[in-house]
Amino acid sequence: MARLLFVTGTSPDVREGSGTFVGISVLAAALRSAGHEVTILAPESRGGPLSLARRLAFNVRARRAAGQAPGIDAVVGFDMDGVFLAYGNAKRVVAVKGGLAEEARFERGAARLRLTVEARLEARNVRRADLVIATSAYSKGRILEDYGAAEERVVVVPEPVDLLRWQRTLASNAGAPEEGAILCVAHLYPRKDVATLLDAVSRLPSPARLTVVGTGPERRRLERRARELGLAGRAAFLGHVPFERLASEYGRASVFCLPSRQEGFGIVFLEAMAAGLPIVAARAAAVPELVVDGESGILVPPGDAEALAAALGRLLSDPAERKRLSERGRHRVRSYDAPLVARLFLEAVGV
């Protein structure tokens, strides 16, 4: 039995922490199911995004808390978190979920400044580690280039998806896909490029319509842009929804689309494949590693609203093609099932 300590300054509330904590918690649950002991150090949820000060304060507290957990085989710090830890005899592992240095390039103003500061701490964390885990080959390349990590210490372990939970929840929310229904699930940062998706939907004829699940700093700007494009009644922003409602939205959609320009991985693409949705996405960052063009979805150039609209229109008008991509996606996502990824994780960590 391995004893692991996970340290993450990402809020356990998905509304505050994007999909990062989802991946962490799914991995932890799979490891526990396999008989291993996993303790998670994370900040308390206070109903709002974590400020940089709160995240730094959490990391100071984590140093003390980690010292009170003897007998740990490995300490796994996620992103910049765990940067102040004294590891003792435990193996030092850093799991980089997205790459803060790259994320900073897609932000502006205060958000960019904050990510730049966090990226410097993440770089320090990476350089101190015995092992660095990247979620994709693309992410590994960014870690090597942005942080100067030694290549032999960086391994790739993908994000997991709890297929059993998705299958059960989707079955209990069974319903036929609605004609023209496009679903997007994302924490609304600029790099997710939902603005280009709105532009694409405005080029499609009715009954094509978009549902956006998720919240974030771009939400008001995107809602305003939807009105400017004349999408009243055709673009709905639901904000954060409970898991069962999320599964229901996946179940009633015909196509999933997220044209993100930057993804270290992209858990939502696994969710879409688990739900049997064909995917339209941008050929950018790590996305082609998950969404194979012509196999589980269609990839288009990033930022190209016209190409995005053409791909969406093609799928919405071709049920046979949607079914083919759906079946391929369901098959592909099996290799990301949580128990399989948990084994890969343990093999990489070597405990």
Side-chain angles (χ1 to χ4, degrees):
M1 179 191 76
R3 297 188 66 198
L4 305 169
L5 176 66
F6 283 6
V7 181
T8 175
T10 300
S11 171
D13 187 330
V14 176
R15 285 172 292 191
E16 301 170 12
S18 188
T20 299
F21 198 84
V22 174
I24 294 170
S25 59
V26 169
L27 175 61
L31 290 167
R32 288 167 179 152
S33 293
H36 304 287
E37 183 178 318
V38 182
T39 301
I40 300 179
L41 287 181
E44 293 181 1
S45 173
R46 296 183 182 177
L50 270 70
S51 65
L52 176 58
R54 275 187 65 199
R55 193 168 187 181
L56 290 171
F58 162 76
N59 273 278
V60 170
R61 293 194 302 273
R63 177 185 175 94
R64 183 167 55 253
Q68 298 172 354
I72 297 295
D73 297 308
V75 177
V76 183
F78 292 89
D79 300 321
M80 62 160 276
D81 298 308
V83 66
F84 302 138
L85 291 186
Y87 283 74
N89 294 324
K91 192 167 188 176
R92 297 175 297 177
V93 180
V94 172
V96 178
K97 293 294 188 177
L100 296 169
E102 186 184 24
E103 291 176 5
R105 299 184 188 115
F106 291 84
E107 292 288 349
R108 303 175 295 271
R112 183 168 188 167
L113 177 60
R114 171 183 172 164
L115 283 169
T116 300
V117 172
E118 292 180 337
R120 291 184 179 182
L121 294 170
E122 184 169 78
R124 181 176 185 267
N125 216 15
V126 164
R127 288 194 288 265
R128 292 176 66 218
D130 298 315
L131 176 73
V132 180
I133 295 177
T135 56
S136 63
Y138 175 83
S139 182
K140 177 178 178 177
R142 297 292 351 139
I143 292 167
L144 297 178
E145 183 172 340
D146 292 337
Y147 300 147
E151 185 169 4
E152 65 273 12
R153 292 191 294 111
V154 185
V155 299
V156 175
V157 178
E159 294 278 26
V161 62
D162 187 343
L163 279 183
L164 182 59
R165 184 188 186 198
W166 274 100
Q167 290 164 353
R168 288 174 173 171
T169 308
L170 287 164
S172 65
N173 289 271
E178 298 178 8
E179 183 182 358
I182 303 165
L183 177 65
C184 177
V185 180
H187 203 78
L188 301 177
Y189 296 120
R191 61 184 180 270
K192 301 298 182 178
D193 203 17
V194 177
T196 295
L197 176 54
L198 291 172
D199 194 345
V201 173
S202 73
R203 299 167 186 241
L204 296 172
S206 183
R209 63 196 181 281
L210 172 67
T211 298
V212 179
V213 174
T215 189
E218 288 287 283
R219 179 172 176 177
R220 288 186 179 180
R221 187 178 74 85
L222 292 169
E223 289 176 330
R224 183 169 62 251
R225 180 58 178 158
R227 292 192 296 270
E228 292 170 353
L229 290 169
L231 289 174
R234 294 182 59 200
F237 291 81
L238 303 186
H240 175 76
V241 299
F243 180 75
E244 289 73 17
R245 172 69 186 276
L246 176 62
S248 177
E249 293 299 329
Y250 273 110
R252 75 181 189 87
S254 292
V255 176
F256 180 87
C257 183
L258 176 61
S260 183
R261 293 170 179 260
Q262 187 276 333
E263 290 289 346
F265 188 79
I267 289 177
V268 292
F269 297 119
L270 298 185
E271 295 175 355
M273 286 187 276
L277 286 183
I279 296 166
V280 177
R283 189 180 291 104
V287 176
E289 296 180 49
L290 275 73
V291 184
V292 179
D293 194 17
E295 179 181 315
S296 54
I298 299 174
L299 300 181
V300 302
D304 190 334
E306 184 176 350
L308 194 63
L312 288 167
R314 171 185 160 193
L315 287 184
L316 290 176
S317 63
D318 191 344
E321 180 67 354
R322 293 202 305 271
K323 182 179 180 181
R324 184 185 73 83
L325 295 175
S326 169
E327 291 172 350
R328 296 285 183 88
R330 286 185 191 276
H331 177 75
R332 181 170 177 75
V333 77
R334 292 174 192 165
S335 61
Y336 298 96
D337 196 13
L340 297 178
V341 173
R343 285 199 290 273
L344 292 176
F345 178 87
L346 283 177
E347 289 171 5
V349 174
V351 295

